[in-house]
Amino acid sequence: MSGIDPVTSEEDLPAPSAADNANKAAAAADDDQGQSLIIPVTTSTNGNNYNDNGGGKGGDESAASSSGLFIEIFPEEMSSIRPTTLSNVLRDERAPLKTWCDGSLLYMKAGKREREGCELLNAAVDSDEVMSGSNTNDRLRVLASAGIAALAQANRQITGDGGSSEGISSSSGMSLLDSLLESSKSAEKRDTDQKEELRVLADARFTKADNINQVNPMTWIGRGMLNLAQNRLDQARFFFENLTLRECGEILPALIGMAAVKYLEKDYAGAQELYGRAMAKYPKQSGASTRVGFGMACYRLGQIDRAKASFRRAHDLDNENVEALVGIAVLEMGSLDPDVLDPREYRSKAENIIKMISMANLVDHTNAMVQNHLANHYFWKWTPVPGMASVERGSIVVKGNMASSLEGGDRIRIGHEFETLVVVEDDEDGDENTFKIKDNWKFDSASNLKIWKKDYDRVLSLAKGAYNSTNMPEVQAESLYMLARVFHARGEMEQANKFYDKACMHSPELSPARFGLAQTLIWDEAYDEAAAHLRLLLGTCSNATDALAALGLLEVKAGKDRREAFVYLKKAIDLDPFNADLVLIEALALQQHESDYPLSLDRYRKAVRLLEAQSKVVPADVLTNMGVLCHETKQYDEALEMYGKALMAAEAENTDGTAGKTDQSEDGMFVRHKDNNLFWKYIDSDIRVKPSAGDEKTKLTVVSSQTDLESLGVKVGDDISLEGDIETTITDISKGDDGAIHLVVKDDVDLKSPESKLSVKQSNGRLQNPSSISIAFNLARLHESSGRIIPASELHKAILKHHPSYVNSYLRLACIARDCGSLKDCSEWLKMAVAVAPGNPEVLTLVGNLHLSLCDWAPAQNVFDQLLQQKVPKVEAYSMLSLGNIYFNNLNTPKKYSKHLQHAADFYRRILQKDKANAYAANGLGTVLAEKGELFRAKEIFNRVREVSGDTISDSLLNLGHIYLAQKKHPEALQMYQSYMNRTRSSGAQTTSKSQEEDEAEVLLYISFAYFDWARQTELFNNSKAAPADERYKKCIEYIEMAMKKSKKENVVLRYNWCLTKLQAANCVLQKVNRNIRRTAQEVKDALDGLEESLPILQTMLQWKEEGRKVAISKGMLTGVVNQCKHNIDSAKSHLKEELKKEQDAETLRNFQRLDAEANEKQRALVASLQKEKEAQEMEESEQRAKKKMQRVTNLVDGWKHAEAASSKDPTPKKKKGKGDAPPGGVDDEAGIFDTDMPANDASALFDDSDDEDEDDASDSAKKTEQPAAAKGEPAQKGTEKDLFGDSSSDEEEEAPKKRSNSDGNDDEQASKKRKLDGNDD
């Protein structure tokens, strides 16, 4: 990791005086960077003896020590000096230990040659002569430096020959993966051993230094590095933080080491802070590696821009720093957005990124991370192939001189759009300048085409090199993933599966590898394992939409938890709502279950809308699936529309050049029905016609100079179109005496113009397109479902004309013939299907079913035995089921009842052992139990079958009806039979091995028997409770008559059952008298008619029996029924006479009662009429009285108004009562004006609606009340008031005295108030 690199670089070596002052030592080491190595000459030997084959270009200088001579070695010369040579020089010249350390440091800086530097220091440490002549500080430094150098070498230890994969080969029979893993294991073991030796050596050096002085910062730094390399972070923290930083301050190696510790502890903020402090305090000494570590910490914290700047600064400081180059490239690659950038700018930046990665590979060709990035680049890159190619439309052969540079399996791109694979040619003698491709060229023929290919060989080489260059499992996993992708792209799925699996083992969190593994497992149909890996992938990457969609589809296919499956699919769509592919996957998942067809169709529509909004082409497969779903949901018009669009899409996708071309061959004219207009069109011809002379509207004359019938261009039987809207067929072509050509057409033609152009119907060539065949077949099935049998048959036959091996059309034609009752034609079509596909399970299955429908048990058994031997999973179960049914239907075979019943049960059980959810086998086993009399267990099985299948297995309903009938539960049995009838009618499929009509007749007979048995059971009461029996006999007769209508041939048993039911129903009617049940003469007459109608039929049957004809009823039974019928006829006649007499007497009685009721009704009507007249008269009188009263009130009000007007004109003051003349208007006193003595409720008398009697009573009561009023001194105004208002009701007159008596006490008070008011007015 980049976070550890700074610890193992040359900056980790402290300066020689670090024990005294670490900070000054670090600065001194920085000052020494870039300086040459100075070796003082202490001997008299010529210094040229140490110039070892180019050990310096004139840089070695020697002289006597007394003259101050020295040897100078420049840094660029260190790469050419071997450590043994340099150690000999240093030893001979008795160089100080500081010089040894400086030489080791120069080695490490010269191309990072840690091995040479470590060898030089080890030579000094191992030499007692060198170590003994030095002081303590120098010895401490060289020991610590030797340990640190050993650690640096261990951390940069490269496996084998530097990661090269040249020696790996699978020629010995081992697979590539096995050889790669074997080589990696041996190299990893060797590398581990070497690293462990170096770490042990470093530990020994540090221990020896501690023996000299335990308080040495360099030793602490070394110990920290050793623990860090061994991933003992707590111990590393102790040496870096608790010892070095606390005792010596913030020296560079300790800061970098502590930052690495925090980085590995995932404390990225802490690591970033320490790297920053190191760079701030030692801006030059910290170097590129520290900035790489800082950039990594920024990246982990999501600070991408700071990470980029840090990597760029590291690259500026050291342009050969691989980690910096890779960091810049990866971050720049992640920031590229083709939707935002201009294409040229995008291409330019991408090229710069690849250049940086390539440069990093040149600097360090053993860096696995760089190799993996390059491998990924070349996996996607198209490499141009020299030469030009040419190819014809619809061809798979490409011509070009580049054929020799291509191999089978290479993925190539011809032009800019067409991608395909190179196919290995079986013919070794083929043309060297041609090669074959997997897919047909779908564009127009072209030449001078450029070809590109994927350089998968380079990808494999880089990935293998990366794998061998590292022992880090995560990086090795990426290399294995790259190898797996190559094999996946080449279609080598088994190899891809192995590499994906190994990649997941090395790094379980590598999501792309796990998804690739799931894809290969799906290809291998290991769906459960694939689903398990997808769940693991979602555990680490929960928002992977492809994984969510794939897992949802697998869960739906498994059928275990559909709700959970659609949760996955919904989550994927929510994450990427505009991805039409995800919506299509959801539609495909919903399509797996019949109940979800409407929802699936809705999802398909949504996907189509998304594709159209994104200006993408809707594939023909999608439109075909939509058509099928519309077909299944009985949306036939929309299905036809979808199939039409699918045909156009398939025509656009056509690659063989036949799209849009008409087929003028005779076979092409095979489709001509108007309902198949998707496969033909009218083509304009050069022929013009006009109506022939005379009244013949079916005869046309050709207006042309052409006189040759053969070259005319039309023939008898051609469908033609005139004036665009007139369609007809040519029935004859002849040449007249005048040389003109005459066309006779099928229908009358009335041309609007003198001449008309003739168009001929021809095939549009769609049936020649292989991808359109399945659509045409689905369209033919749609015709069948819609009842259009003729166009369906025509289209199936046209498919077979163009594609004779299309077996499904043979089978459908056989089924059409069977349903039409033509078993001979059905057999012929099946024979042709068998000839085309002899071992096809579907063909054999249909042949077996045909034998079953004909009750040919032995041939059917042979066919299904043959199918059983093929051991095809689904067909095997169907074959065993059919064999079980054959044995069950042959239980009546003499002396084989038990054997056949046991064989049937064995076949059903064998199916259930392999598939416990097979409802058909369970239903068969239930029939066996019912046959054995175990009705309760059979009933449980049939109910369970209904629950599991959702009533899709209609036979379970029929069998339950039989069980209920045997248990005398007639309503339940009838319900099951009716449900069975409704189910089979709605499905449209035949219910048993017989025809639909015969099956329905049989079920109707079951229903009639249920009613018959129910009526017989009801008659056992023999009292009034037996009344419903008659109605049930009628129902029985009704259903028997329906069954006779459904039966195509005369059925003697059905007719006998009808006669017997008539006899029993008549007997039930005759017994009603004894059971105290009312009956009518009509019922008796109907019973007699039924008996008289049945007797001749029964006598005819008896006669047939006596003549020896085949009648299923015994002679004795027929004789007994005939005699009983005759006896019941005589009895019915006498009962009919009695009932007629009873009804006649009852009718007479009813007539008397009716006349009496009518007289009473007339009397009531007369009384009601008189009463209405009286009420009307009273109402009219009441209205007259009311009008009179209203007139009186009006007159009174008018009088008051005149009086008031007169009083207002008189200026003379009013006088009080008894003191002056009377006022004008004749009012005696004030009481007449104010009416203070009038009760408040007397106004009601004005609107009294009482009758005359009430008025008389009121007048009498008024006379009685006059005397008390006069006695009490009431004013004479009362008489006037009575005269004004006239009559009042008695109630009012009775209430008046009471109210007056209550108000007597207030009269004086009111009079005084009025007088005061008058005084004020005066």
Side-chain angles (χ1 to χ4, degrees), residues 1230-1274:
E1230 295 173 356
I1233 298 174
F1234 292 96
D1235 255 350
T1236 55
D1237 296 331
M1238 181 179 179
N1241 59 352
D1242 281 351
S1244 61
L1246 297 175
F1247 307 99
D1248 188 17
D1249 295 333
S1250 59
D1251 54 13
D1252 296 338
E1253 296 177 358
D1254 293 338
E1255 187 177 355
D1256 296 339
D1257 294 340
S1259 61
D1260 293 341
S1261 61
K1263 292 177 182 179
K1264 293 178 181 179
T1265 56
E1266 286 178 358
Q1267 295 175 358
K1272 293 180 181 179
E1274 291 289 335

Short mmCIF file of all heavy atoms in Angstrom, two decimals, residues 1230-1274:
data_model
loop_
_atom_site.label_atom_id
_atom_site.label_comp_id
_atom_site.label_asym_id
_atom_site.label_seq_id
_atom_site.Cartn_x
_atom_site.Cartn_y
_atom_site.Cartn_z
N GLU A 1230 -115.83 54.88 21.90
CA GLU A 1230 -114.49 54.51 21.48
C GLU A 1230 -114.31 53.01 21.36
O GLU A 1230 -113.39 52.53 20.71
CB GLU A 1230 -113.48 55.05 22.47
CG GLU A 1230 -113.48 56.57 22.46
CD GLU A 1230 -112.60 57.11 23.57
OE1 GLU A 1230 -112.10 56.29 24.35
OE2 GLU A 1230 -112.39 58.32 23.64
N ALA A 1231 -115.17 52.30 22.00
CA ALA A 1231 -115.01 50.83 21.94
C ALA A 1231 -115.16 50.33 20.52
O ALA A 1231 -114.59 49.32 20.13
CB ALA A 1231 -116.03 50.18 22.86
N GLY A 1232 -115.92 50.98 19.72
CA GLY A 1232 -116.10 50.55 18.34
C GLY A 1232 -114.87 50.74 17.50
O GLY A 1232 -114.70 50.08 16.50
N ILE A 1233 -114.00 51.66 17.91
CA ILE A 1233 -112.77 51.91 17.12
C ILE A 1233 -111.66 51.02 17.60
O ILE A 1233 -111.00 50.34 16.84
CB ILE A 1233 -112.39 53.38 17.21
CG1 ILE A 1233 -113.50 54.25 16.61
CG2 ILE A 1233 -111.06 53.64 16.51
CD1 ILE A 1233 -113.28 55.73 16.77
N PHE A 1234 -111.40 51.02 18.93
CA PHE A 1234 -110.23 50.28 19.45
C PHE A 1234 -110.51 48.82 19.65
O PHE A 1234 -109.61 48.03 19.73
CB PHE A 1234 -109.80 50.91 20.79
CG PHE A 1234 -109.24 52.29 20.60
CD1 PHE A 1234 -110.04 53.41 20.78
CD2 PHE A 1234 -107.92 52.47 20.25
CE1 PHE A 1234 -109.50 54.68 20.60
CE2 PHE A 1234 -107.39 53.72 20.10
CZ PHE A 1234 -108.17 54.85 20.27
N ASP A 1235 -111.80 48.45 19.73
CA ASP A 1235 -112.15 47.04 19.90
C ASP A 1235 -111.39 46.41 21.04
O ASP A 1235 -110.83 45.33 20.93
CB ASP A 1235 -111.88 46.26 18.61
CG ASP A 1235 -113.18 45.96 17.89
OD1 ASP A 1235 -114.23 46.20 18.51
OD2 ASP A 1235 -113.10 45.51 16.74
N THR A 1236 -111.35 47.11 22.13
CA THR A 1236 -110.56 46.56 23.25
C THR A 1236 -111.22 45.38 23.86
O THR A 1236 -110.55 44.55 24.49
CB THR A 1236 -110.37 47.65 24.32
OG1 THR A 1236 -111.66 48.13 24.70
CG2 THR A 1236 -109.53 48.79 23.76
N ASP A 1237 -112.53 45.25 23.68
CA ASP A 1237 -113.21 44.11 24.28
C ASP A 1237 -113.24 42.90 23.40
O ASP A 1237 -113.78 41.86 23.78
CB ASP A 1237 -114.66 44.52 24.63
CG ASP A 1237 -114.68 45.61 25.68
OD1 ASP A 1237 -113.71 45.63 26.49
OD2 ASP A 1237 -115.61 46.42 25.63
N MET A 1238 -112.71 42.98 22.24
CA MET A 1238 -112.73 41.82 21.31
C MET A 1238 -111.60 40.87 21.66
O MET A 1238 -110.43 41.27 21.75
CB MET A 1238 -112.57 42.32 19.87
CG MET A 1238 -112.59 41.19 18.85
SD MET A 1238 -112.42 41.85 17.20
CE MET A 1238 -112.44 40.32 16.30
N PRO A 1239 -111.87 39.60 21.86
CA PRO A 1239 -110.79 38.65 22.19
C PRO A 1239 -109.77 38.58 21.05
O PRO A 1239 -110.08 38.75 19.88
CB PRO A 1239 -111.52 37.31 22.37
CG PRO A 1239 -112.94 37.70 22.62
CD PRO A 1239 -113.18 38.98 21.89
N ALA A 1240 -108.51 38.27 21.46
CA ALA A 1240 -107.41 38.24 20.47
C ALA A 1240 -107.60 37.14 19.45
O ALA A 1240 -107.19 37.26 18.31
CB ALA A 1240 -106.07 38.07 21.19
N ASN A 1241 -108.22 36.05 19.82
CA ASN A 1241 -108.34 34.92 18.89
C ASN A 1241 -109.64 34.93 18.12
O ASN A 1241 -109.95 33.97 17.44
CB ASN A 1241 -108.19 33.59 19.62
CG ASN A 1241 -109.24 33.44 20.71
OD1 ASN A 1241 -109.96 34.38 21.00
ND2 ASN A 1241 -109.28 32.25 21.31
N ASP A 1242 -110.47 36.00 18.25
CA ASP A 1242 -111.72 36.03 17.49
C ASP A 1242 -111.49 36.23 16.02
O ASP A 1242 -112.37 36.03 15.20
CB ASP A 1242 -112.63 37.14 18.02
CG ASP A 1242 -113.33 36.69 19.30
OD1 ASP A 1242 -113.20 35.48 19.61
OD2 ASP A 1242 -113.94 37.53 19.96
N ALA A 1243 -110.28 36.66 15.67
CA ALA A 1243 -110.00 36.84 14.23
C ALA A 1243 -110.04 35.53 13.48
O ALA A 1243 -110.23 35.49 12.27
CB ALA A 1243 -108.62 37.50 14.06
N SER A 1244 -109.86 34.43 14.16
CA SER A 1244 -109.92 33.13 13.49
C SER A 1244 -111.29 32.87 12.91
O SER A 1244 -111.46 32.07 12.00
CB SER A 1244 -109.56 32.01 14.47
OG SER A 1244 -110.48 32.00 15.53
N ALA A 1245 -112.31 33.55 13.46
CA ALA A 1245 -113.65 33.33 12.93
C ALA A 1245 -113.80 33.85 11.52
O ALA A 1245 -114.69 33.45 10.79
CB ALA A 1245 -114.67 34.01 13.86
N LEU A 1246 -112.90 34.78 11.14
CA LEU A 1246 -112.98 35.31 9.79
C LEU A 1246 -112.67 34.24 8.76
O LEU A 1246 -113.12 34.32 7.62
CB LEU A 1246 -112.00 36.47 9.63
CG LEU A 1246 -112.27 37.70 10.52
CD1 LEU A 1246 -111.16 38.70 10.35
CD2 LEU A 1246 -113.62 38.31 10.19
N PHE A 1247 -111.86 33.29 9.15
CA PHE A 1247 -111.41 32.26 8.20
C PHE A 1247 -111.94 30.90 8.59
O PHE A 1247 -111.32 29.88 8.32
CB PHE A 1247 -109.87 32.22 8.15
CG PHE A 1247 -109.28 33.56 7.87
CD1 PHE A 1247 -108.79 34.35 8.91
CD2 PHE A 1247 -109.23 34.06 6.59
CE1 PHE A 1247 -108.25 35.58 8.65
CE2 PHE A 1247 -108.68 35.30 6.33
CZ PHE A 1247 -108.19 36.07 7.37
N ASP A 1248 -113.08 30.89 9.26
CA ASP A 1248 -113.63 29.61 9.72
C ASP A 1248 -114.18 28.82 8.54
O ASP A 1248 -114.87 29.36 7.70
CB ASP A 1248 -114.75 29.92 10.72
CG ASP A 1248 -115.25 28.65 11.37
OD1 ASP A 1248 -114.49 27.65 11.28
OD2 ASP A 1248 -116.33 28.68 11.94
N ASP A 1249 -113.75 27.55 8.49
CA ASP A 1249 -114.19 26.68 7.41
C ASP A 1249 -115.19 25.64 7.89
O ASP A 1249 -115.34 24.58 7.30
CB ASP A 1249 -112.98 25.95 6.80
CG ASP A 1249 -112.06 26.94 6.13
OD1 ASP A 1249 -112.55 27.99 5.70
OD2 ASP A 1249 -110.84 26.62 6.04
N SER A 1250 -115.85 25.92 8.97
CA SER A 1250 -116.78 24.92 9.52
C SER A 1250 -118.00 24.81 8.62
O SER A 1250 -118.32 25.69 7.84
CB SER A 1250 -117.19 25.33 10.95
OG SER A 1250 -117.80 26.60 10.93
N ASP A 1251 -118.72 23.71 8.77
CA ASP A 1251 -119.87 23.43 7.93
C ASP A 1251 -121.11 24.15 8.46
O ASP A 1251 -121.06 24.90 9.44
CB ASP A 1251 -120.11 21.93 7.83
CG ASP A 1251 -120.22 21.31 9.22
OD1 ASP A 1251 -120.36 22.09 10.19
OD2 ASP A 1251 -120.13 20.06 9.31
N ASP A 1252 -122.24 23.88 7.82
CA ASP A 1252 -123.48 24.58 8.19
C ASP A 1252 -123.93 24.23 9.58
O ASP A 1252 -124.45 25.05 10.31
CB ASP A 1252 -124.60 24.24 7.18
CG ASP A 1252 -124.24 24.77 5.81
OD1 ASP A 1252 -123.40 25.70 5.75
OD2 ASP A 1252 -124.78 24.23 4.81
N GLU A 1253 -123.76 22.98 9.97
CA GLU A 1253 -124.20 22.58 11.31
C GLU A 1253 -123.43 23.32 12.37
O GLU A 1253 -123.96 23.78 13.37
CB GLU A 1253 -124.03 21.07 11.48
CG GLU A 1253 -124.93 20.29 10.53
CD GLU A 1253 -124.71 18.79 10.67
OE1 GLU A 1253 -123.83 18.41 11.47
OE2 GLU A 1253 -125.40 18.00 9.99
N ASP A 1254 -122.15 23.45 12.15
CA ASP A 1254 -121.35 24.19 13.12
C ASP A 1254 -121.78 25.64 13.17
O ASP A 1254 -121.77 26.29 14.22
CB ASP A 1254 -119.87 24.12 12.72
CG ASP A 1254 -119.36 22.70 12.85
OD1 ASP A 1254 -119.97 21.94 13.60
OD2 ASP A 1254 -118.33 22.38 12.19
N GLU A 1255 -122.14 26.16 11.98
CA GLU A 1255 -122.58 27.56 11.94
C GLU A 1255 -123.87 27.75 12.74
O GLU A 1255 -124.02 28.71 13.47
CB GLU A 1255 -122.76 27.98 10.47
CG GLU A 1255 -123.06 29.47 10.32
CD GLU A 1255 -123.16 29.85 8.86
OE1 GLU A 1255 -122.89 28.97 8.01
OE2 GLU A 1255 -123.46 31.02 8.57
N ASP A 1256 -124.79 26.81 12.61
CA ASP A 1256 -126.05 26.90 13.39
C ASP A 1256 -125.77 26.82 14.87
O ASP A 1256 -126.32 27.56 15.67
CB ASP A 1256 -127.00 25.79 12.96
CG ASP A 1256 -127.41 25.97 11.50
OD1 ASP A 1256 -127.29 27.10 10.98
OD2 ASP A 1256 -127.82 24.95 10.88
N ASP A 1257 -124.88 25.91 15.24
CA ASP A 1257 -124.54 25.78 16.67
C ASP A 1257 -123.91 27.04 17.18
O ASP A 1257 -124.15 27.48 18.32
CB ASP A 1257 -123.59 24.60 16.87
CG ASP A 1257 -124.29 23.28 16.54
OD1 ASP A 1257 -125.53 23.26 16.54
OD2 ASP A 1257 -123.56 22.28 16.27
N ALA A 1258 -123.10 27.65 16.32
CA ALA A 1258 -122.41 28.88 16.75
C ALA A 1258 -123.40 30.01 16.96
O ALA A 1258 -123.29 30.79 17.91
CB ALA A 1258 -121.36 29.27 15.69
N SER A 1259 -124.41 30.08 16.06
CA SER A 1259 -125.42 31.15 16.22
C SER A 1259 -126.23 30.96 17.49
O SER A 1259 -126.54 31.89 18.20
CB SER A 1259 -126.34 31.19 14.99
OG SER A 1259 -127.02 29.96 14.85
N ASP A 1260 -126.54 29.69 17.82
CA ASP A 1260 -127.27 29.41 19.07
C ASP A 1260 -126.47 29.81 20.27
O ASP A 1260 -126.97 30.40 21.23
CB ASP A 1260 -127.64 27.93 19.13
CG ASP A 1260 -128.65 27.57 18.03
OD1 ASP A 1260 -129.31 28.51 17.51
OD2 ASP A 1260 -128.72 26.36 17.68
N SER A 1261 -125.21 29.44 20.24
CA SER A 1261 -124.36 29.76 21.40
C SER A 1261 -124.17 31.25 21.51
O SER A 1261 -124.03 31.80 22.60
CB SER A 1261 -123.01 29.06 21.26
OG SER A 1261 -122.35 29.52 20.09
N ALA A 1262 -124.16 31.95 20.34
CA ALA A 1262 -124.01 33.42 20.37
C ALA A 1262 -125.22 34.06 21.05
O ALA A 1262 -125.08 35.03 21.80
CB ALA A 1262 -123.84 33.95 18.96
N LYS A 1263 -126.40 33.57 20.80
CA LYS A 1263 -127.62 34.10 21.45
C LYS A 1263 -127.56 33.90 22.94
O LYS A 1263 -128.00 34.73 23.71
CB LYS A 1263 -128.86 33.42 20.88
CG LYS A 1263 -129.13 33.80 19.42
CD LYS A 1263 -130.33 33.06 18.87
CE LYS A 1263 -130.57 33.39 17.39
NZ LYS A 1263 -131.74 32.66 16.83
N LYS A 1264 -127.02 32.78 23.36
CA LYS A 1264 -126.96 32.51 24.79
C LYS A 1264 -125.99 33.43 25.48
O LYS A 1264 -126.15 33.77 26.64
CB LYS A 1264 -126.55 31.05 25.03
CG LYS A 1264 -127.62 30.08 24.58
CD LYS A 1264 -127.16 28.65 24.79
CE LYS A 1264 -128.22 27.66 24.31
NZ LYS A 1264 -127.79 26.27 24.49
N THR A 1265 -124.92 33.83 24.79
CA THR A 1265 -123.90 34.65 25.42
C THR A 1265 -124.25 36.13 25.41
O THR A 1265 -123.58 36.94 26.06
CB THR A 1265 -122.57 34.47 24.69
OG1 THR A 1265 -122.75 34.77 23.31
CG2 THR A 1265 -122.07 33.05 24.88
N GLU A 1266 -125.34 36.55 24.66
CA GLU A 1266 -125.71 37.96 24.62
C GLU A 1266 -126.25 38.43 25.97
O GLU A 1266 -125.99 39.53 26.41
CB GLU A 1266 -126.74 38.21 23.52
CG GLU A 1266 -126.16 38.17 22.12
CD GLU A 1266 -127.21 38.38 21.05
OE1 GLU A 1266 -128.38 38.51 21.42
OE2 GLU A 1266 -126.83 38.39 19.86
N GLN A 1267 -127.02 37.58 26.63
CA GLN A 1267 -127.66 37.99 27.87
C GLN A 1267 -126.64 38.23 28.99
O GLN A 1267 -126.69 39.25 29.64
CB GLN A 1267 -128.69 36.93 28.29
CG GLN A 1267 -129.84 36.85 27.29
CD GLN A 1267 -130.81 35.72 27.64
OE1 GLN A 1267 -130.58 34.99 28.61
NE2 GLN A 1267 -131.91 35.63 26.89
N PRO A 1268 -125.68 37.35 29.19
CA PRO A 1268 -124.69 37.66 30.24
C PRO A 1268 -123.90 38.89 29.92
O PRO A 1268 -123.53 39.66 30.81
CB PRO A 1268 -123.80 36.42 30.25
CG PRO A 1268 -124.62 35.35 29.66
CD PRO A 1268 -125.55 36.02 28.71
N ALA A 1269 -123.64 39.13 28.67
CA ALA A 1269 -122.86 40.31 28.31
C ALA A 1269 -123.63 41.59 28.63
O ALA A 1269 -123.07 42.54 29.14
CB ALA A 1269 -122.51 40.25 26.83
N ALA A 1270 -124.92 41.59 28.35
CA ALA A 1270 -125.73 42.77 28.65
C ALA A 1270 -125.87 42.97 30.14
O ALA A 1270 -125.88 44.08 30.64
CB ALA A 1270 -127.10 42.65 27.99
N ALA A 1271 -126.00 41.88 30.89
CA ALA A 1271 -126.15 41.97 32.34
C ALA A 1271 -124.92 42.57 32.97
O ALA A 1271 -124.98 43.25 33.98
CB ALA A 1271 -126.44 40.60 32.93
N LYS A 1272 -123.75 42.31 32.40
CA LYS A 1272 -122.48 42.82 32.95
C LYS A 1272 -122.14 44.20 32.39
O LYS A 1272 -121.05 44.70 32.58
CB LYS A 1272 -121.36 41.86 32.62
CG LYS A 1272 -121.53 40.54 33.35
CD LYS A 1272 -120.38 39.60 32.99
CE LYS A 1272 -120.56 38.26 33.69
NZ LYS A 1272 -119.50 37.34 33.36
N GLY A 1273 -123.02 44.72 31.62
CA GLY A 1273 -122.76 46.07 31.11
C GLY A 1273 -121.85 46.10 29.92
O GLY A 1273 -121.11 47.05 29.73
N GLU A 1274 -121.78 45.06 29.10
CA GLU A 1274 -120.96 45.05 27.90
C GLU A 1274 -121.50 46.09 26.94
O GLU A 1274 -122.71 46.26 26.84
CB GLU A 1274 -120.96 43.67 27.24
CG GLU A 1274 -120.24 42.61 28.01
CD GLU A 1274 -118.76 42.82 28.00
OE1 GLU A 1274 -118.22 43.47 27.07
OE2 GLU A 1274 -118.07 42.35 28.93
#
